[in-house]
Amino acid sequence: MQLSPTIFKAYDVRGVVPSTLNEEVAYALGLAFGTIAQGEGEKTVAVGRDGRLSGPSLSAALAKGLRASGMDVIDIGPATTPMLYFAASTLCSSGIQVTGSHNPKDYNGFKMVMAGRAIYGEEIQALRRLMEQGAPVSAQPGTVRNINILAPYRDRIVQDVKLAKPLKIVVDSGNGIAGASAPGIFRALGCEVVELYSEVDGTFPNHHPDPSKPENLKDLIAAIRSSGAELGLAFDGDGDRLGIITRGGNNIYPDRQMMLFARDVLTRVPGGTIVFDVKCTQRLAPTIREAGGTPLMFKTGHSLIKAKMKEVNSPLGGEMSGHIFFKERWFGFDDGTYAGARLLEILSRHQDPSALLDGLPTSFSTPELNVKCDEGEAHILVQRLVDHADFESPAELSTIDGLRVDWPDGFGLIRASNTTPVLVLRFEGHTQAALERIEELMLALLREVKPDATVGEAAH
């Protein structure tokens, strides 16, 4: 079949409905995924979907394709991506979530787990090749079962997480799928919950469900003030990322969340290796070392972080984008609701939760910046940056994912995005002056290899 090559991303399949992604593509993907999974000895695949309008028809076509390959299907219906991961960790070991994540409302896509691992990169390209060739239809089609995963998922969290005292919180689900489950789970933990936009609505009528963007947090900040709540939590469209706002309206970015989580986890897993991506603050590694852990910086990408955590037997990992992965006491997948529960557990032991969060080490930093490139150009530019980089000591260079240069008072990062044709830039300084110096040095290097580079804020 004819497929748009643009839908096959580094970590998932994603496109615009119906122009590049439709029921025919969903069926073909199910058929191909089922064929490959059977080759690995898999017999059952769980299927879930977020709250997007195209979800029901795409997930039905996907399930039809999976069954045509001979696979049995467990349909968990509308659910967060972490609930699909939970099904693929407890009921079977493969799963596909139909989700557009935080993309615009006319997008949808597929996040995939095969035999217990998130598939990415070459495995997604292998899936594409089999879809183009046409996978075989089995003489013995698979069965389908409908299972409600919310009750066992909620019970597992409530059994695991214990609050020292009840907390009053505001939860903004942005009309994403987390609204159907997260507020109820936080209430079951003993919280008083003020809800914003819990009604699942794929048109996203209030604001876009992407807590990494400050403009999407305005209503949450206002509601914390008016309700007298101690904390605000915000979810992305499919519930795998979490935004945290303090009583004073401060956004606790994921790399600072990781400091709190690492300190807690390392009390029970002394010496543990904590994995984080190259976009994270320079303040994170020393915090992990002070808590008795081993910091390990790795490439950006949720599938890549998960694979690295397995390799080094890490109890905790996290990304600046907001994906937090708990292996200690949990399954190792990224889950905004579970991360929120673990956060509340830690904060409930303190007199002033917001003061604890605001007191985490911080720096002066830019938001994520992007430089638009031609298709394929970003990776070539990064290689040229690495070749050109000539910084004097005490600068330390890391080329694990793009070029990251660390000075004693901050860092600069330029890397190629794996999902869109852009360079991703991030700069941080312990002082405003250090930030400005580092930004100037890194942009001067960038203009050596791309004189026409135009820097803008990341659109996500």
Side-chain angles (χ1 to χ4, degrees):
M1 68 179 296
Q2 280 299 108
L3 293 164
S4 169
T6 61
I7 67 174
F8 296 91
K9 310 292 185 187
Y11 319 119
D12 53 26
V13 174
R14 198 165 65 232
V16 176
V17 181
S19 57
T20 60
L21 202 68
N22 54 28
E23 290 164 42
E24 191 186 358
V25 173
Y27 174 86
L29 184 131
L31 189 60
F33 183 96
T35 303
I36 295 169
Q38 280 180 325
E40 295 202 18
E42 293 290 281
K43 293 181 171 56
T44 306
V45 180
V47 171
R49 66 176 191 268
D50 71 11
R52 285 168 187 265
L53 304 180
S54 57
S57 60
L58 289 176
S59 65
L62 173 70
K64 193 175 170 188
L66 286 165
R67 290 174 64 200
S69 76
M71 292 296 276
D72 292 336
V73 171
I74 293 173
D75 187 350
I76 66 166
T80 64
T81 296
M83 284 163 69
L84 182 276
Y85 292 155
F86 180 80
S89 301
T90 57
L91 301 175
C92 55
S93 49
S94 292
I96 302 177
Q97 174 77 351
V98 180
T99 175
S101 189
H102 60 274
N103 287 286
K105 61 189 175 188
D106 53 344
Y107 277 72
N108 217 326
F110 307 94
K111 289 184 179 177
M112 296 166 282
V113 176
M114 188 179 292
R117 66 182 189 279
I119 69 167
Y120 62 92
E122 179 47 41
E123 288 190 285
I124 288 179
Q125 292 307 319
L127 194 63
R128 168 191 171 180
R129 288 191 291 273
L130 187 53
M131 287 169 72
E132 285 169 340
Q133 286 163 232
V137 172
S138 171
Q140 188 71 44
T143 60
V144 64
R145 282 182 292 156
N146 294 304
I147 291 184
N148 181 349
I149 201 74
L150 177 56
Y153 172 75
R154 179 185 58 225
D155 292 349
R156 176 67 176 73
I157 294 176
V158 173
Q159 283 161 14
D160 176 71
V161 175
K162 302 296 175 202
L163 270 57
K165 65 178 181 193
L167 295 169
K168 182 174 182 179
I169 62 173
V170 182
V171 175
D172 182 347
S173 302
N175 300 107
I177 193 67
S181 57
I185 289 170
F186 294 134
R187 283 198 185 97
L189 290 170
C191 291
E192 182 185 342
V193 181
V194 177
E195 296 186 47
L196 284 182
Y197 316 136
S198 294
E199 185 186 347
V200 179
D201 183 342
T203 66
F204 308 126
N206 294 291
H207 64 73
H208 201 64
D210 182 1
S212 69
K213 292 281 166 224
E215 64 268 22
N216 297 325
L217 299 167
K218 287 176 188 162
D219 294 351
L220 179 58
I221 292 168
I224 296 167
R225 287 210 180 102
S226 64
S227 68
E230 294 179 81
L231 195 70
L233 304 180
F235 292 98
D236 73 338
D238 66 333
D240 59 7
R241 293 187 298 133
L242 174 71
I244 299 172
I245 299 292
T246 65
R247 197 170 47 216
N250 296 326
N251 190 345
I252 305 299
Y253 286 100
D255 51 356
R256 291 177 76 208
Q257 297 173 26
M258 281 291 291
M259 297 174 188
L260 197 68
F261 291 138
R263 285 172 182 168
D264 178 58
V265 166
L266 289 166
T267 62
R268 293 179 298 277
V269 189
T273 298
I274 310 297
V275 183
F276 54 92
D277 79 320
V278 292
K279 292 199 272 188
C280 287
T281 174
Q282 196 181 57
R283 305 279 198 183
L284 179 55
T287 304
I288 293 166
R289 280 192 207 98
E290 283 160 22
T294 305
L296 178 60
M297 188 167 72
F298 197 57
K299 299 173 185 179
T300 292
H302 66 95
S303 304
L304 306 177
I305 296 278
K306 274 185 264 205
K308 193 66 178 176
M309 285 177 67
K310 268 189 183 167
E311 183 193 318
V312 301
N313 194 25
S314 164
L316 174 70
E319 285 192 293
M320 190 63 199
S321 62
H323 295 273
I324 309 280
F325 315 86
F326 285 93
K327 185 72 178 89
E328 188 248 358
R329 294 167 44 187
W330 195 240
F331 300 90
F333 57 73
D334 37 334
D335 186 337
T337 300
Y338 183 72
R342 290 283 290 258
L343 173 83
L344 295 169
E345 181 181 71
I346 297 165
L347 297 180
S348 72
R349 301 195 290 260
H350 292 265
Q351 193 57 44
D352 188 342
S354 283
L356 178 69
L357 291 169
D358 287 331
L360 292 167
T362 188
S363 293
F364 295 84
S365 63
T366 60
E368 187 171 305
L369 303 168
N370 282 176
V371 172
K372 285 195 174 119
C373 298
D374 294 332
E375 200 68 52
E377 183 191 11
H379 289 277
I380 296 162
L381 286 172
V382 163
Q383 191 49 59
R384 290 177 61 200
L385 283 169
V386 170
D387 296 341
H388 273 70
D390 183 23
F391 294 103
E392 293 173 5
S393 181
E396 290 179 16
L397 272 62
S398 165
T399 56
I400 193 163
D401 183 2
L403 176 68
R404 175 167 162 151
V405 186
D406 279 79
W407 285 271
D409 58 353
F411 81 90
L413 170 74
I414 304 177
R415 61 177 287 274
S417 167
N418 289 318
T419 51
T420 45
V422 297
L423 288 173
V424 175
L425 284 59
R426 185 162 151 72
F427 309 115
E428 174 183 282
H430 294 191
T431 63
Q432 184 64 34
L435 170 64
E436 288 167 13
R437 185 194 84 240
I438 289 166
E439 187 167 358
E440 202 174 305
L441 283 167
M442 295 297 285
L443 289 178
L445 174 65
L446 174 62
R447 296 220 158 89
E448 281 181 36
V449 301
K450 187 173 171 65
D452 62 341
T454 308
V455 180
E457 276 206 36
H460 278 296

